Amino acid sequence: DIILTQSPLSLAVSPGEPASISCRPSQSLLHRNGHNYLDWYLQKPGQPPQLLIYLASNRASGVPDRFSGSGSGTFFTLKISRVEPEDVGVYYCMQALQSPWTFGQGTKLEI
Amino acid sequence: QLHLQESGPGLVKPTETLLLTCTVSGASLTSPNHDWVWIRQSPGRGLEWIGNIYNGGTTTYNRSLRSRVTISIDTSKNHFALRLTSVTAADTAVYYCARTIMLRSINYYGVAVWGQGTTVTVSS
């Protein structure tokens, strides 16, 4: 199974400040079609995860442009350019390249 | 607007079989390139992918659960189901159904739609 290691596991950020979370898979997530099969999700308290980024750098529909994803192969980053209070929750990366799909352990963002 | 709603027993006894259904509104379960997904979440195991069903009945499962899990589709009821046999306390979790769009070997659009989740406790 592909193991995803996120860092940090928690961070506290002031509103308006940037934030960055990394995700390191145990093997490359680059498919032969050129896409990296890495998603980012945010889970707010009491809610299911919501998709932020798919294929490493594509923002999902309705996601604010302060969220961006980058990276390839074995290192990926989620960046929030200016954190808003509603960004509080746990952020997960997930790989869909290889069965079983696997998730990172989560990064808790607090304001 | 696609909406998914899980339903099932909140409490199951050890060794019994868990059956959950996910009712889909706003899309057809036979839509091409749609994968219907089960994922669970527990404090001890985090988020865990259980399996997908697509193309009207093709399935792929997490090998850690493969001997105990079956995902099926009932187009007459527009729902898909999860059957998990021989449950133990380790199967206590919030179970989510979800939908992704997957063009195998070509493209993928993330798990964009989730149900609200249903809590299942395994206890005697």
Side-chain angles (χ1 to χ4, degrees), chain B residues 45-104:
Chain B
R45 303 166 77 96
L47 285 161
E48 182 179 24
W49 172 75
I50 298 171
N52 294 8
I53 189 166
Y54 57 98
N55 286 346
T58 302
T59 52
T60 177
Y61 300 127
N62 191 322
R63 57 174 161 268
S64 69
L65 298 168
R66 187 173 292 149
S67 63
R68 299 193 294 128
V69 68
T70 305
I71 298 176
S72 59
I73 278 180
D74 187 334
T75 54
S76 67
K77 297 178 181 176
N78 218 48
H79 76 211
F80 63 107
L82 169 69
R83 183 171 177 268
L84 185 65
T85 62
S86 303
V87 297
T88 70
D91 297 311
T92 294
V94 177
Y95 286 74
Y96 295 103
C97 61
R99 195 279 313 267
T100 184
I101 295 177
M102 170 79 80
L103 287 73
R104 280 171 167 75

Side-chain angles (χ1 to χ4, degrees), chain A residues 1 31-33 35 37 39 41 43 46-49 51 54-55 92 94 96 99-101 103, chain B residues 39 41 47 49 52 60-63 96 100 102 105-112 114-116:
Chain A
D1 297 6
H31 193 282
R32 62 182 180 273
N33 64 15
H35 296 306
Y37 279 59
D39 304 334
Y41 297 85
Q43 187 172 31
Q47 296 185 21
L51 178 66
Y54 63 95
L55 294 179
Y92 295 95
M94 188 200 90
S99 179
W101 295 1
F103 292 84
Chain B
I39 290 167
Q41 184 174 31
L47 285 161
W49 172 75
N52 294 8
T60 177
Y61 300 127
N62 191 322
R63 57 174 161 268
Y96 295 103
T100 184
M102 170 79 80
S105 297
I106 298 174
N107 218 329
Y108 162 72
Y109 294 89
V111 184
W114 297 66
Q116 282 301 304

Side-chain angles (χ1 to χ4, degrees), chain A residues 82-103:
Chain A
R82 295 173 308 279
V83 171
E84 302 278 345
E86 60 265 30
D87 300 337
V88 166
V90 182
Y91 290 79
Y92 295 95
C93 54
M94 188 200 90
Q95 67 82 20
L97 178 73
Q98 184 183 109
S99 179
W101 295 1
T102 49
F103 292 84

Side-chain angles (χ1 to χ4, degrees), chain A residues 40 50-54 57-64, chain B residues 109-112:
Chain A
W40 289 98
Q50 60 186 84
L51 178 66
L52 298 175
I53 303 287
Y54 63 95
S57 60
N58 295 273
R59 258 191 311 275
S61 175
V63 174
Chain B
Y109 294 89
V111 184

Side-chain angles (χ1 to χ4, degrees), chain B residues 6-27:
Chain B
E6 305 89 348
S7 57
L11 180 65
V12 185
K13 291 182 168 54
T15 75
E16 290 187 342
T17 294
L18 169 66
L19 182 61
L20 297 176
T21 59
C22 180
T23 301
V24 177
S25 56

